């Protein structure tokens, strides 16, 4: 006799994973956007983590999983069909998360409630036999979704696209930024000043020094924009689009007087919690930058502009399933509008550091070319190699572009574009 669905151990987490994947694949929401609703019925944080982990790995390995499923069906299942999604969830658990086969299929069949359970069970069994015989296997690295892969090959070349696939298959390392050069007893590799890279396994909240606010999580590439402003010596900087606060904390620990602005109240709650834990100070403003303006020009501005976020695909595999050419064009328009708005918010001879966690030239190199054409009273202040972590070098134009090939032997870095602009006196 079959167990009632609500009595099947682990089913609720798989149902949440199913809802997460539906949100990404059908409604083009990000996992972060979908998590609150999709996991609302899960009381245990570990179940929420499992649901997210299943969904993220399905998104990462979707092409390989689908090839296996298609090899075992006479008539191809629709991409958005429940049986295909249930099979993806079952197979990724066995192949990537080391879930026993019986647990994977017993929690997958109820996901097609009222649908073709026999079909799902039969395809799963056929694929398992193919895997056990060696006839079926996942590729060595997950495939970057077609439109994105073609775009990256066109913009950066085959080598970068291949490195992106390799990076996508790995757990991103744990990068920590510190308030000082004292990293305590933590063991890791220092890739830059006030930085430590560690394996991704330890929960960050359990590391010595976390409760005392000695450090915060921040990818090495994400630490570069604030590094390019150097020591503050009490001067004023506007950190725009500041949440969740990594760059504000860097700047505050380097002696800058901060005004940190973001329009997302929820993210600013985390921002304030980070400031409280690290005991660093900033004036916090929740506002729309197209409506707000400072009382007087600042010595410097750091604009971490809203973008496609394709550069952080290692930790957010959903991005590559949600973002297309039209989305990139929309983000680029927003970036241009923000840059145009803040040109008078910085003093003569002051600096604007523009940053995006994007691998798209439209949001980076092209954006700055357009800005300089519209605003000839600004110029690029070239970044020098000695300002950057080892193995990261400036572009010919004096900007910074981190690609999937950077530090590939040490776990890669996020994809960023960064430009430092000076207002002429």
């Amino acid at each position: 006799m079959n167990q009632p669905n609500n009595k099947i151990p682990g089913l609720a987490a798989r149902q949440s994973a199913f809802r997460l994947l539906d949100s990404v694949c059908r409604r083009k929401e990000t996992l972060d956007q979908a998590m609150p609703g999709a996991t609302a019925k899960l009381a245990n944080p570990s179940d929420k983590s499992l649901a997210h982990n299943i969904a993220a790995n399905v998104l990462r390995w979707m092409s390989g999983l689908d090839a296996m499923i298609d090899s075992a069906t006479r008539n191809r299942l629709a991409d958005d069909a429940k049986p295909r999604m249930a099979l993806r969830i079952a197979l990724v658990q066995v192949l990537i998360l080391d879930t026993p086969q019986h647990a994977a299929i017993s929690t997958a069949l109820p996901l097609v409630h009222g649908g073709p359970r026999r079909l799902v069970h039969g395809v799963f069994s056929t694929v398992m036999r193919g895997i056990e015989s060696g006839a079926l296997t996942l590729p060595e690295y997950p495939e970057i979704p077609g439109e994105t892969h073609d775009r990256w090959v066109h913009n950066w070349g085959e080598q970068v696209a291949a490195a992106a696939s390799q990076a996508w298959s790995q757990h991103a390392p744990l990068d920590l930024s510190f308030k000082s050069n004292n990293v305590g007893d933590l063991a890791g590799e220092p890739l830059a000043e006030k930085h430590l890279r560690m394996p991704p396994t330890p929960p960050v909240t359990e590391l010595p020094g976390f409760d005392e606010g000695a450090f915060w999580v921040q990818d090495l590439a994400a630490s570069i924009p604030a590094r390019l402003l150097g020591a503050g010596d009490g001067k004023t900087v506007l950190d725009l689009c500041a949440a969740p606060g990594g760059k504000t904390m860097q700047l505050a620990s380097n002696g800058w007087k901060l005004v940190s602005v973001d329009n997302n109240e929820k993210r600013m709650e985390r921002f304030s919690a980070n400031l409280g834990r690290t005991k660093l100070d900033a004036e916090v403003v929740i506002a729309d930058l197209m409506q707000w303006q400072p009382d007087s020009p600042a010595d410097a501005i750091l604009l971490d502009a809203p973008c496609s976020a394709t550069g952080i695909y290692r930790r957010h595999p959903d991005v590559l399933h949600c973002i297309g050419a039209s989305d990139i064009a929309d983000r680029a328009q927003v970036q241009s509008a923000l840059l145009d708005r803040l040109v008078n918010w910085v003093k003569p001879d002051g600096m604007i550091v523009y940053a995006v966690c994007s691998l798209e030239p439209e949001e980076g190199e092209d954006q700055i070319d357009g800005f300089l054409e519209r605003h000839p009273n600004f110029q690029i202040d070239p970044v020098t190699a000695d300002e950057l972590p080892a193995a990261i070098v400036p572009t010919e134009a004096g900007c910074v572009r981190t690609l999937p090939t950077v530090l590939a032997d040490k776990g890669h870095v996020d994809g960023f574009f960064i430009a430092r602009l000076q207002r002429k006196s």
Side-chain angles (χ1 to χ4, degrees):
M1 185 173 178
N2 292 333
Q3 281 185 294
N5 285 349
N6 61 0
K7 299 294 185 182
I8 298 175
L11 175 59
R14 276 70 172 185
Q15 290 171 326
S16 291
F18 192 103
R19 288 192 289 270
L20 285 171
L21 288 164
D22 182 66
S23 296
V24 173
C25 296
R26 192 166 58 84
R27 297 200 293 272
K28 302 303 178 183
E29 295 179 357
T30 66
L31 286 175
D32 286 348
Q33 290 170 335
M35 274 292 288
T39 64
K41 296 181 179 179
L42 298 179
N44 192 325
S46 64
D47 287 337
K48 292 185 178 184
S49 178
L50 175 59
H52 185 281
N53 199 18
I54 291 171
N57 276 290
V58 167
L59 293 169
R60 191 174 282 116
W61 292 96
M62 188 176 289
S63 294
L65 297 171
D66 282 348
M68 288 183 167
I69 293 166
D70 291 341
S71 74
T73 57
R74 183 176 303 166
N75 298 314
R76 190 179 187 280
L77 298 171
D79 287 340
D80 60 352
K82 281 187 176 182
R84 180 179 289 277
M85 195 62 80
L87 284 162
R88 290 166 173 165
I89 288 171
L91 291 172
V92 84
Q93 290 178 79
V94 174
L95 296 170
I96 304 299
L97 304 180
D98 295 325
T99 303
Q101 290 186 31
H102 67 86
I105 190 60
S106 68
T107 52
L109 293 177
L111 300 178
V112 289
H113 179 68
R117 293 192 180 200
R118 278 189 178 181
L119 171 65
V120 171
H121 197 285
V123 171
F124 179 81
S125 299
T126 300
V127 171
M128 285 298 103
R129 288 194 295 272
I131 292 169
E132 290 163 3
S133 70
L136 293 177
T137 184
L138 284 176
E140 183 178 7
Y141 304 123
E143 296 178 20
I144 303 295
E147 179 185 339
T148 302
H149 177 268
D150 294 345
R151 192 171 65 244
W152 288 355
V153 168
H154 173 77
N155 290 331
W156 310 116
E158 292 279 1
Q159 182 181 3
V160 169
S165 294
Q166 181 181 0
W168 215 21
S169 69
Q170 303 170 0
H171 290 292
L174 179 63
D175 280 8
L176 303 178
S177 284
F178 288 78
K179 288 196 295 187
S180 72
N181 282 316
N182 180 12
V183 301
D185 296 327
L186 292 175
E189 183 173 4
L191 297 179
E193 186 179 7
K194 296 184 180 180
H195 171 274
L196 197 67
R197 172 162 285 188
M198 304 176 64
T201 46
V204 67
T205 55
E206 297 178 8
L207 293 176
F210 177 84
D211 290 336
E212 294 77 15
F215 57 81
W216 53 92
V217 176
Q218 186 178 41
D219 187 81
L220 179 66
S223 76
I224 294 174
R227 293 178 186 276
L228 298 186
L229 287 175
D233 299 322
K235 292 180 288 187
T236 299
V237 60
L238 307 179
D239 185 7
L240 306 180
C241 308
K247 297 174 182 64
T248 282
M249 291 184 284
Q250 276 183 281
L251 293 165
S253 65
N254 282 337
W256 288 89
K257 181 181 178 182
L258 267 295
V259 179
S260 300
V261 187
D262 200 285
N263 67 351
N264 189 311
E265 291 188 29
K266 191 68 176 177
R267 282 167 57 85
M268 287 303 268
E269 290 178 8
R270 182 180 168 196
F271 176 99
S272 296
N274 282 330
L275 279 185
R277 181 176 61 83
T278 56
K279 299 177 178 62
L280 293 168
D281 294 322
E283 179 184 341
V284 179
V285 179
I286 300 175
D288 182 345
L289 289 175
M290 299 307 292
Q291 305 296 325
W292 178 87
Q293 64 181 34
D295 294 332
S296 59
D299 297 290
I301 293 174
L302 196 162
L303 174 62
D304 187 6
C307 69
S308 63
T310 53
I312 58 173
Y313 69 99
R314 293 180 303 154
R315 296 180 178 85
H316 301 274
D318 46 299
V319 168
L320 302 190
H321 292 273
C322 297
I323 294 293
S326 62
D327 303 292
I328 294 165
D330 289 345
R331 300 303 193 276
Q333 286 186 348
V334 172
Q335 295 150 12
S336 296
L338 287 171
L339 282 167
D340 290 346
R341 179 159 174 77
L342 57 78
V343 290
N344 294 319
W345 296 359
V346 67
K347 297 175 182 178
D349 292 323
M351 299 292 179
I352 296 175
V353 170
Y354 170 82
V356 283
C357 55
S358 166
L359 285 167
E360 316 307 327
E362 297 93 327
E363 300 181 278
E365 291 84 350
D366 297 350
Q367 189 64 253
I368 294 305
D369 288 345
F371 174 81
L372 294 174
E373 288 180 9
R374 298 192 304 274
H375 302 283
N377 59 326
F378 279 83
Q379 62 189 4
I380 290 176
D381 182 36
V383 177
T384 59
D386 60 0
E387 296 179 89
L388 298 172
I392 298 178
V393 297
T395 67
E396 290 184 7
C399 299
V400 180
R401 165 60 77 184
T402 57
L403 294 168
T405 47
V406 173
L407 286 170
D409 60 330
K410 297 182 183 295
H412 304 268
V413 297
D414 286 345
F416 261 80
F417 174 84
I418 306 153
R420 184 171 59 195
L421 307 165
Q422 183 180 34
R423 183 177 179 180
K424 300 175 186 177
S425 56

